[in-house]
Amino acid sequence: MPQGELIEDAARALASRGAPAATAELHLARGLLATPAQPPRAAGHFAAAQHLWQDIDHPY
């Protein structure tokens, strides 16, 4: 299974669970996959992960 599909499967499974740490990690994974081809998109995912971690008082 390609990495992108694995990430999206995890995102669907977590969609209604209210798991901010897991959601932050999904953004991190999406950012890592986007980095080589789409740096601005990657930056958006990294920023979203950072904000989610800050919202739950955990360092990024």
Side-chain angles (χ1 to χ4, degrees):
M1 174 181 294
Q3 294 169 337
E5 287 181 37
L6 182 61
I7 292 168
E8 295 314 311
D9 284 349
R12 282 188 292 277
L14 292 169
S16 63
R17 299 203 187 265
T23 303
E25 289 302 309
L26 287 171
H27 278 290
L28 179 61
R30 287 175 175 141
L32 291 171
L33 286 179
T35 297
Q38 300 171 321
R41 183 176 177 198
H45 284 297
F46 294 145
Q50 178 184 11
H51 290 290
L52 285 166
W53 280 118
Q54 288 174 338
D55 287 348
I56 58 173
D57 293 324
H58 285 278
Y60 176 59

